Amino acid sequence: MPVLVINCGSSSIKYKLYARGPEDPLAGGIIDGVGGDRPRHFHTAGDRQFEAELDVGDYRQGVAAIVEALAEWGSPPPISDPAEIVGVGHRVVHGGDRFSESVVIDCAVIEEVEALGSLAPLHNPANLAGIRATRDLLPGAVGVAVFDTAFFATLPPHSYRYAVPERWWRDYGVRRYGFHGISHRYLAERAARLLENPRPNLVTLHLGAGASACAIRDGKAVDTSMGMTPLEGLVMGTRSGDIDPAVVFHLLEAGLPASEIRRGLLREGGLLGLSGMSSDFRRVADRARAGDRAAALAVETFAHRVRRYLGAFLVQVTPCDGVVFSGGIGENSHEVRHLILTGLETLGLVVDPARNRGEGERRISADTGSVDIWVIPTDEESLIARDTARLVNAPSQL
Ligand code: ADP
């Protein structure tokens, strides 16, 4: 009973096909440069890899190419007929305060996701394009929307409200929604299993090109670093994260156009802005090691901001059972984990240097610490596949 997971980003479509369960991917790939001149399709089926250039690139053609690849590439291809696909799980970035869990997609869901487009103008339209394309091309498959915001439905009002005039919240939806929820939920569920505690108190740190922290009490999200949009919070590849909002007025009054300020905060800030050379953490860290002061400052500021949130979230989930590192930076950089965790022994966080340098999923805390510290590679697709399989098999349980 194959289930397809589709993640339509602002210029790419990532996908994975699962056979029986989320541990069992049959094939997957990415179409890069959707909407650009020369989109490229990278596909893996079993141990075989394929690459192709596509002619034209809108989302519908991208999804058509994926369906074709799944049924035709490989020996044998993972499926013989696209009609075998029983469910398609879509990552949908913004579910607003309307969707607190994954849902089977129908016309009403499509309309609501469309209406939420003003809150996520780069993402929800791309997600919807993928949803519409799969409904056309795989009419027999049940579509499921899995929302990046849904895990934060349990945030209490004192955590999701900003201290701004109430009418801004009422009339314009100004509040914290949180993002990376699929990843934080995956990490929380995985940590619950590893800690053998079904409702642990955790701080999860998703540190990748986008970065966010989440406080989890009794297995439920109670606070997060991202806000009304994914700009708030940690220092990211090109996003500034937290900033005094008055900076915007200061720059406007100094004559900078709003578009330039937006670009500075979203595309030219973060590691790129501080280092002046790259948004890629590994490259910035390499330069820092070679003695570049701006690069070193970028790494230190990144780690400092994570520590600030870690402290703020530990007090909300005390007694804390576990701290989890994930994302490309959190999973791979023992140096940044060391910078973040240094000197926190009195909070029960003690790192074992030997375990910190290893690879893959593992506990990196020393036996003397009271808080377990884990590295857990995130797997958002497997969670989307799991929700999809559950709803395809039991749509009446909605
Ligand atoms: P995305 O948010 O695009 O999924 P990832 O989670 O893949 O991003 O994280 C990308 C980031 O991880 C990049 O900044 C990259 O430099 C960093 N990264 C990947 N591998 C390493 C490594 N070995 N050491 C340090 N940083 C790494």
Side-chain angles (χ1 to χ4, degrees):
M1 302 285 270
V3 165
L4 178 63
V5 170
I6 297 247
N7 180 356
C8 283
S10 50
S11 65
S12 71
I13 310 176
K14 293 185 198 154
Y15 62 96
K16 246 184 202 175
L17 183 77
Y18 291 85
R20 282 166 297 278
E23 314 306 329
D24 203 13
L26 285 175
I30 181 168
I31 298 186
D32 244 340
V34 177
D37 290 344
R38 306 175 97 201
R40 296 193 72 77
H41 187 175
F42 303 89
H43 180 82
T44 304
D47 54 7
R48 294 197 56 188
Q49 305 204 328
F50 303 83
E51 193 179 330
E53 199 164 292
L54 297 179
D55 296 339
V56 211
D58 61 13
Y59 288 92
R60 195 177 194 289
Q61 278 156 328
V63 174
I66 290 167
V67 171
E68 190 183 308
L70 291 171
E72 292 180 15
W73 293 359
S75 46
I79 50 174
S80 50
D81 182 345
E84 288 170 30
I85 297 173
V86 294
V88 185
H90 297 268
R91 175 175 180 227
V92 179
V93 166
H94 217 309
D97 45 20
R98 166 65 187 82
F99 295 102
S100 55
E101 54 188 21
S102 304
V103 292
V104 170
I105 297 169
D106 59 17
C107 293
V109 170
I110 290 180
E111 269 174 35
E112 296 195 57
V113 172
E114 198 158 31
L116 290 164
S118 64
L119 290 172
L122 284 181
H123 294 102
N124 273 29
N127 303 154
L128 269 177
I131 289 172
R132 292 203 166 100
T134 42
R135 278 165 75 88
D136 281 354
L137 295 162
L138 297 170
V142 176
V144 170
V146 181
F147 297 93
D148 228 9
T149 45
F151 187 56
F152 305 109
T154 52
L155 255 48
H158 61 248
S159 164
Y160 72 70
R161 285 289 297 278
Y162 293 113
V164 296
E166 204 219 4
R167 61 182 182 281
W168 292 8
W169 172 58
R170 235 186 10 245
D171 298 345
Y172 303 104
V174 173
R175 53 159 284 183
R176 177 174 288 119
Y177 293 99
F179 299 88
H180 286 157
I182 300 172
S183 177
H184 288 293
R185 185 181 138 207
Y186 174 85
L187 298 173
E189 292 179 4
R190 186 77 198 131
R193 227 164 307 143
L194 293 166
L195 296 167
E196 297 179 359
N197 174 349
R199 289 153 46 119
N201 290 344
L202 303 166
V203 178
T204 48
L205 302 167
H206 177 109
L207 310 178
S212 63
C214 182
I216 295 166
R217 196 163 59 222
D218 291 331
K220 295 197 165 73
V222 291
D223 206 349
T224 185
S225 59
M226 283 184 166
M228 177 166 157
T229 75
L231 179 57
E232 191 176 341
L234 303 179
V235 173
M236 307 183 216
T238 63
R239 280 172 257 167
S240 65
D242 291 339
I243 195 161
D244 180 345
V247 169
V248 176
F249 311 123
H250 176 74
L251 295 175
L252 281 172
E253 280 156 21
L256 255 67
S259 58
E260 197 174 324
I261 301 171
R262 182 193 298 255
R263 194 169 64 242
L265 295 175
L266 283 165
R267 306 230 174 277
E268 297 172 354
L271 295 173
L272 176 61
L274 283 165
S275 71
M277 46 99 38
S278 176
S279 60
D280 186 278
F281 185 87
R282 192 168 10 183
R283 291 191 54 206
V284 175
D286 283 348
R287 282 286 283 269
R289 251 177 262 115
D292 184 305
R293 292 181 64 146
L297 177 67
V299 171
E300 282 155 19
T301 311
F302 178 90
H304 171 73
R305 190 79 60 84
V306 176
R307 280 167 72 86
R308 201 186 230 192
Y309 273 93
L310 177 57
F313 286 1
L314 280 172
V315 297
Q316 297 188 52
V317 300
T318 184
C320 182
D321 300 303
V323 169
V324 177
F325 284 85
S326 194
I329 302 169
E331 288 165 31
N332 295 304
S333 173
H334 63 88
E335 284 170 325
V336 88
R337 290 192 300 265
H338 176 77
L339 270 180
I340 292 166
L341 294 167
T342 291
L344 303 184
E345 292 80 5
T346 50
L347 299 176
L349 292 153
V350 189
V351 182
D352 178 332
R355 290 181 185 143
N356 190 29
R357 276 182 170 270
E359 276 191 6
E361 180 179 281
R362 68 203 184 280
R363 186 167 74 87
I364 62 168
S365 43
D367 299 329
T368 50
S370 60
V371 179
D372 268 6
I373 314 170
W374 283 82
V375 172
I376 302 181
T378 196
D379 188 352
E380 292 158 293
E381 288 88 3
S382 78
L383 190 143
I384 297 173
R386 200 163 2 119
D387 274 12
T388 304
R390 180 171 51 83
L391 290 174
V392 166
N393 289 330
S396 61
Q397 286 176 16
L398 269 179

